[in-house]
């Protein structure tokens, strides 16, 4: 999601530059904090002794702590192994490598074809400034907030010098919590269930294909073993994440291997799809009638691209005829550049392929709705779950089917009514599946289910672009509000007159999020001064959710509504506002992209 916010910022900057104005004062980066070793930040963990520095907001900061061995060579496509201990004291001053991914903007990788590195399994910690002799113990230990970044499980990281929106320093110091972020393997290195790897594995974890999920579990196990050295309570861990990070939160709730590793969960714009092992392994067509990017399809493309097979049919035969040990050895010999050369860059560099696999060990062989219908199937902990009011605008704002460009600059929306209509259907579907359906299921046996919708859209109107119309309350835009971190360049999107309201909303959201981490209920926030947040269901009614907005647009308020998948689809098919068949087909593709896309429905509209 950091990439999404970066792309939005780029769009805003180029648009503003196109209409002139003295905006460049906003574009200088935040003043860097000197990274000077802080004697009070010395900590001893299982792997050795570390020292951090005094970071932003005067927080103790440790960056790039290894939580597992680098998954290189023989450890590629295996469950993470414990980190290798070191001698002496290590300085934890720099973010580690991002995991391997495609660049957000093609060609921005200096010709490598990728960014990141396989040596990437590190985490970052922010904590209140506490000396080593005064670290809280027992009932004084602090809640731990364990953040999982988004990015379609194929791009992103837990933080970097250039993208610090996940900086947990303000949350840590203002609300007395420990914040942890981490990197995890993604794309074909994170989820890959090839027969040759499975047949040569000695443990069910190694054979699962769910290496990204196992990395997250390893990070949580590291927290259990080490977080008390930082004053954190291993018995009070909140996992939270946005988009794919929210999906991974749900996956951890569904995984038997993560049982007891966390006590609360926050899902921001996430929905869980557990892919079948058949889809993950077999060559064939997906619901779009495109080639399914299964492990065998991917391996076939690698074989062709490296000259080991003449064409796809030959590549399939090579996989069938090669002994598993030999094929697994060859797969592990591929360079990341060779691996990623077969993928087309999607939005912000994302890849669409089977991920979060129902292997029957790490994750159940069940549909998500079936998992959460029965509390015996998952960790029924207190949950906060929500979405943004205009989820789809982040994606559709960059689509030439909806907006006009001059070069790389968006100059307008082609048809505002059609844009808003299609955004609403896609966003309603997102919420119906990722929030309301899950809240309804979980609340049947869990009283502590809390839902929200993020509505803040107090953006600038640059003339050529009105961001309130184009972006609104889009996907991922609640993240800076949760962390309370608005980089200096990002402030360009807010009129000076509204930024005070933005900060007030951010303070309230941080207060709710951290109070939930303390007590499993957002209540009246950590400060005890916010509007009381009612649970999704009480004794007389259900469907309660909190609208999170600035006072300029109605403020924070509770409302009651439940959306269902069937209702959203029925509303679409009853809609007569489409002017042409082509417009209706585009509307369907945009609204129901992903698992809610039905080829039969699509062709019934006369679409091809």
């Amino acid at each position: 999601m950091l990439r999404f916010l970066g792309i939005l910022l780029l769009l805003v900057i180029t648009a503003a530059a196109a209409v002139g104005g003295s905006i460049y004062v906003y574009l200088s980066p935040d003043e860097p904090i000197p990274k000077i070793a802080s004697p009070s930040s010395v900590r001893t963990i299982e792997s050795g002794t570390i020292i951090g520095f005094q970071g932003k907001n005067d927080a103790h900061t440790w960056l790039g702590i290894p939580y597992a061995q680098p998954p290189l060579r023989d450890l590629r496509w295996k469950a993470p192994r414990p980190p290798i201990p070191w001698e002496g004291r290590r300085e934890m001053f720099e973010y580690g490598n991002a995991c391997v991914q495609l660049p957000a903007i093609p060609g921005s990788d200096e010709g490598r074809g990728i960014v990141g590195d396989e040596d990437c399994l590190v985490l970052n910690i922010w904590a209140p400034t506490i000396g080593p002799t005064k670290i809280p113990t027992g009932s004084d230990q602090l809640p731990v907030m364990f953040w999982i970044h988004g990015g379609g499980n194929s791009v992103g990281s837990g933080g970097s010098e250039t993208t610090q929106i996940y900086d947990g320093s303000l949350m840590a110091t203002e609300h007395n919590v420990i914040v942890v972020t981490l990197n995890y393997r993604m794309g074909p290195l994170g989820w890959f269930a090839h027969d040759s790897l499975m047949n040569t594995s000695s443990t069910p974890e190694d054979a699962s294909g769910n290496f990204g999920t196992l990395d997250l579990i390893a990070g949580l196990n590291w927290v259990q073993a080490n977080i008390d050295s930082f004053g954190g309570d291993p018995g009070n861990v909140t996992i939270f994440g946005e988009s794919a990070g929210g999906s991974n939160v749900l996956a951890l709730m569904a995984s038997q291997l993560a049982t007891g590793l966390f006590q609360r969960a926050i899902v921001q714009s996430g929905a869980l799809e557990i892919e079948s092992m058949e889809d993950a392994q077999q060559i064939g067509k997906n619901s779009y009638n495109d080639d399914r990017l299964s492990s065998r399809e991917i391996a076939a493309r690698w074989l062709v691209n490296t000259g080991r097979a003449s064409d796809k049919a030959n590549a399939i035969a090579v996989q069938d005829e090669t002994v598993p040990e030999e094929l697994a050895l060859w797969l592990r010999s591929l360079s990341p550049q060779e691996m990623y050369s077969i993928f087309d860059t999607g939005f912000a560099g994302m890849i669409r392929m089977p991920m979060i696999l129902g292997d029957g060990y790490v994750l159940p062989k069940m549909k998500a709705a079936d998992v959460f219908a029965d509390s015996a199937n998952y960790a029924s902990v207190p949950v906060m779950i929500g979405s943004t009011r205009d989820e789809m605008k982040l994606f559709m704002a960059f689509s030439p089917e909806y907006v006009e460009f001059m070069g790389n600059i968006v100059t307008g929306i082609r048809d505002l009514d059609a844009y808003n209509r299609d955004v609403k259907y896609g966003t309603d579907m997102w919420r119906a599946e990722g929030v309301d359906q899950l809240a309804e299921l979980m609340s049947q046996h869990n009283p502590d289910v809390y839902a929200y919708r993020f509505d803040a859209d107090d953006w600038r109107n640059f003339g050529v672009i009105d961001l309130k119309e184009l972006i609104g309350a889009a996907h991922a835009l609640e993240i800076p509000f949760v962390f309370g971190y608005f980089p200096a360049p990002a402030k360009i999107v807010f009129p000076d007159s509204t930024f005070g309201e933005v900060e007030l909303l951010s303070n309230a959201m941080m207060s709710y999020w951290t109070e939930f981490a303390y007590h499993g209920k957002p209540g009246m926030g950590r400060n005890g001064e916010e509007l009381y947040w009612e649970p999704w269901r009480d004794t007389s009614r259900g469907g309660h959710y909190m609208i999170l907005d600035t006072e300029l647009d109605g403020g924070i308020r509770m409302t009651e509504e439940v959306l269902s998948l069937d209702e959203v689809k029925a509303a679409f098919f009853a809609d007569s506002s489409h002017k042409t068949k082509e417009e209706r087909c585009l509307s369907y593709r945009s609204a129901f992209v992903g698992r809610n896309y039905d080829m039969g429905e699509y062709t019934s509209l006369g679409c091809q």
Side-chain angles (χ1 to χ4, degrees):
M1 293 309 108
L2 284 174
R3 289 180 172 211
F4 296 175
L5 298 179
I7 288 174
L8 171 59
L9 180 57
L10 177 62
L11 180 150
V12 173
I13 292 169
T14 54
V19 298
S22 56
I23 65 165
Y24 297 99
V25 66
Y26 293 99
L27 302 186
S28 60
D30 292 347
E31 195 69 26
I33 302 292
K35 295 179 179 178
I36 301 172
S38 170
S40 63
S41 70
V42 173
R43 299 290 186 269
T44 299
I45 57 178
E46 284 191 337
S47 303
T49 302
I50 61 174
I51 187 169
F53 62 97
Q54 214 74 25
K56 290 184 177 70
N57 300 297
D58 207 32
H60 268 157
T61 305
W62 300 267
L63 304 177
I65 304 173
Y67 69 86
Q69 289 183 42
L72 305 173
R73 296 175 288 277
D74 290 347
L75 295 184
R76 180 190 283 177
W77 293 312
K78 288 186 178 179
R81 273 43 174 180
I84 299 172
W86 55 81
E87 299 292 332
R89 190 171 70 189
R90 287 183 61 168
E91 292 182 343
M92 296 300 172
F93 291 1
E94 305 295 335
Y95 289 99
N97 299 317
C99 292
V100 178
Q101 56 199 276
L102 290 175
I105 301 172
S108 62
D109 55 346
E110 300 180 350
R112 292 199 312 141
I114 58 166
V115 294
D117 195 280
E118 287 187 83
D119 181 0
C120 63
L121 300 186
V122 298
L123 52 79
N124 315 297
I125 299 176
W126 292 266
T129 298
I130 302 169
T133 62
K134 297 183 178 180
I135 295 173
T137 58
S139 61
D140 293 328
Q141 288 180 318
L142 305 179
V144 180
M145 300 191 72
F146 184 95
W147 172 256
I148 304 171
H149 72 80
N153 274 338
S154 54
V155 298
S157 74
S160 71
E161 292 297 337
T162 56
T163 50
Q164 299 181 37
I165 294 172
Y166 302 153
D167 183 295
S169 61
L170 186 63
M171 188 179 285
T173 56
E174 286 288 308
H175 297 288
N176 233 28
V177 295
I178 310 294
V179 180
V180 180
T181 72
L182 82 167
N183 300 342
Y184 56 95
R185 283 173 285 182
M186 301 176 294
L189 288 166
W191 287 273
F192 193 68
H194 195 276
D195 287 345
S196 66
L197 302 174
M198 299 171 71
N199 292 336
T200 55
S201 295
S202 59
T203 69
E205 290 92 343
D206 288 349
S208 72
N210 281 303
F211 309 109
T213 305
L214 288 167
D215 289 346
L216 298 174
I217 293 171
L220 286 169
N221 275 310
W222 187 97
V223 166
Q224 290 296 308
N226 295 285
I227 208 64
D228 58 352
S229 296
F230 302 84
D233 182 358
N236 186 4
V237 177
T238 298
I239 55 174
F240 69 132
E242 188 271 343
S243 194
S247 301
N248 290 328
V249 167
L250 292 167
L252 290 171
M253 293 174 69
S255 176
Q256 62 172 347
L257 302 187
T259 301
L261 300 182
F262 59 91
Q263 288 69 43
R264 300 132 176 33
I266 301 175
V267 182
Q268 300 174 208
S269 298
L272 178 61
E273 180 178 17
I274 299 177
E275 303 267 11
S276 72
M277 293 302 279
E278 179 182 7
D279 282 345
Q281 294 175 292
Q282 299 304 311
I283 287 178
K285 299 293 184 180
N286 62 21
S287 61
Y288 296 92
N289 204 35
D290 296 330
D291 286 337
R292 178 192 293 126
L293 280 179
S294 67
S295 58
R296 285 174 61 81
E297 173 71 34
I298 289 171
R301 295 185 185 191
W302 287 338
L303 287 162
V304 172
N305 273 24
T306 56
R308 290 179 63 94
S310 56
D311 54 28
K312 181 174 175 178
N314 180 228
I316 294 171
V318 167
Q319 292 179 73
D320 291 336
E321 295 165 3
T322 305
V323 297
E325 291 78 8
E326 180 183 339
L327 189 53
L329 184 65
W330 178 77
L331 288 170
R332 290 192 169 101
S333 75
L334 291 169
S335 70
Q337 288 86 350
E338 289 173 320
M339 296 173 65
Y340 275 77
S341 65
I342 68 167
F343 295 105
D344 295 325
T345 301
F347 182 78
M350 290 193 296
I351 295 169
R352 180 182 294 161
M353 58 173 285
M355 302 176 194
I356 307 184
L357 312 176
D359 65 298
Y361 184 75
V362 177
L363 290 166
K365 295 182 177 181
M366 301 172 68
K367 299 287 187 182
D370 295 330
V371 171
F372 294 106
D374 185 345
S375 60
N377 295 332
Y378 72 100
S380 184
V381 299
V383 175
M384 275 174 56
I385 188 166
S387 59
T388 71
R389 190 195 62 214
D390 304 314
E391 293 278 2
M392 293 301 296
K393 281 191 174 181
L394 184 62
F395 309 97
M396 291 168 58
F398 298 93
S399 169
E401 295 174 303
Y402 287 99
V403 299
E404 296 173 339
F405 288 87
M406 181 180 295
N408 292 323
I409 301 169
V410 175
T411 57
I413 299 171
R414 295 184 182 278
D415 182 331
L416 183 58
D417 289 339
Y419 181 70
N420 286 332
R421 176 199 62 212
D422 293 357
V423 163
K424 186 176 188 307
Y425 282 126
T427 298
D428 283 353
M429 184 60 73
W430 196 313
R431 186 183 139 209
E433 182 176 35
V435 181
D436 293 19
Q437 175 181 248
L438 293 176
E440 282 285 287
L441 291 170
M442 293 177 184
S443 64
Q444 300 296 324
H445 38 72
N446 182 356
D448 288 317
V449 177
Y450 303 88
Y452 72 86
R453 191 183 75 198
F454 176 81
D455 280 22
D457 63 352
D458 303 297
W459 316 124
R460 278 185 195 272
N461 183 346
F462 288 107
V464 67
I465 295 178
D466 184 350
L467 289 182
K468 199 177 184 77
E469 291 181 345
L470 181 70
I471 298 298
H475 184 71
L477 292 184
E478 87 284 7
I479 295 173
F481 289 78
V482 170
F483 282 89
Y485 182 72
F486 296 89
K491 293 177 184 177
I492 185 178
V493 301
F494 302 109
D496 294 340
S497 59
T498 68
F499 194 66
E501 296 291 337
V502 166
E503 289 183 312
L504 286 174
L505 177 59
S506 175
N507 291 340
M509 290 174 64
M510 272 197 294
S511 186
Y512 281 130
W513 261 242
T514 53
E515 175 64 12
F516 180 80
Y518 264 86
H519 298 119
K521 306 173 189 291
M524 298 175 68
R526 192 79 198 112
N527 58 20
E529 298 175 356
E530 308 300 337
L531 177 68
Y532 177 70
W533 191 326
E534 300 175 43
W536 174 264
R537 180 179 298 279
D538 64 20
T539 55
S540 61
R541 52 188 181 161
H544 284 67
Y545 65 93
M546 182 71 83
I547 294 179
L548 299 165
D549 205 350
T550 62
E551 289 296 328
L552 295 169
D553 286 325
I556 295 173
R557 57 202 187 272
M558 293 295 305
T559 191
E560 184 178 357
E561 183 185 22
V562 180
L563 281 175
S564 73
L565 301 172
D566 290 342
E567 288 171 342
V568 178
K569 280 280 182 85
F572 174 86
F573 283 101
D575 193 329
S576 59
S577 67
H578 302 91
K579 301 180 185 68
T580 65
K581 181 183 75 175
E582 289 73 23
E583 183 180 316
R584 194 169 178 83
C585 294
L586 171 61
S587 181
Y588 185 92
R589 291 196 305 273
S590 300
F592 306 123
V593 64
R595 51 192 164 274
N596 295 306
Y597 180 98
D598 184 294
M599 180 60 76
E601 286 182 344
Y602 187 62
T603 55
S604 74
L605 298 172
C607 308
Q608 297 180 352

